[in-house]
Amino acid sequence: MRTAIILFLFHVGMVSAQETLQLTDGQQSPSATLEDVSWISGHWQGEAFGGIAEEIWSPPLGDSMMFVFKLVKDNKVSFYEIGHIQQVENTMILQLKHFQGDLKGWEEKDATVDFKLVKVEKNKVFFEGFTMELVNENEMNIYVLIEDGDSAEEVLFAYKRVP
């Protein structure tokens, strides 16, 4: 189910270089704090799926950075996401849930789509199959690895900061 959801959400443009990473068997997520990714905070917007994608991230507070996402197409909300990057002991995890435009959930009640932390660099964070990069103060790229059966391809989702 995770593959289908990611495919639906992020099939925006093909990426030629590999930007996403995975943990190897037995590898643990590295130490990191929310301050390492506080640059994600803000109001971001871009075009996707023939509509407008909007994402709003809070600054770190209470061991998390929460976000909301919506896709508006033909002047109607297609779907929402709500999620967070959560500080868990000495590392982080990205978790999200999806909702239809009428707020009916896609995942089961207690289920989330989880992305474990792989690596943190200045202005770039790698979760399993999901990378966020601050290009400059007003642009952020998200790269997502899409798995479809036996094949996988990486796609790019580009945001611009909303003033």
Side-chain angles (χ1 to χ4, degrees), residues 19-77:
E19 292 291 336
T20 59
L21 302 174
Q22 299 291 328
L23 292 172
T24 59
D25 288 339
Q27 181 183 5
Q28 299 294 315
S29 291
S31 294
T33 68
L34 293 171
E35 288 304 317
D36 296 328
V37 296
S38 62
W39 50 264
I40 297 168
S41 298
H43 186 174
W44 303 94
Q45 199 171 78
E47 294 181 19
F49 318 112
I52 301 296
E54 181 178 45
E55 200 158 325
I56 303 169
W57 282 85
S58 74
L61 178 66
D63 288 334
S64 76
M65 291 177 66
M66 70 175 176
F67 77 91
V68 290
F69 168 95
K70 73 176 172 181
L71 177 66
V72 175
K73 187 174 179 182
D74 298 326
N75 216 25
K76 292 184 180 186
V77 174

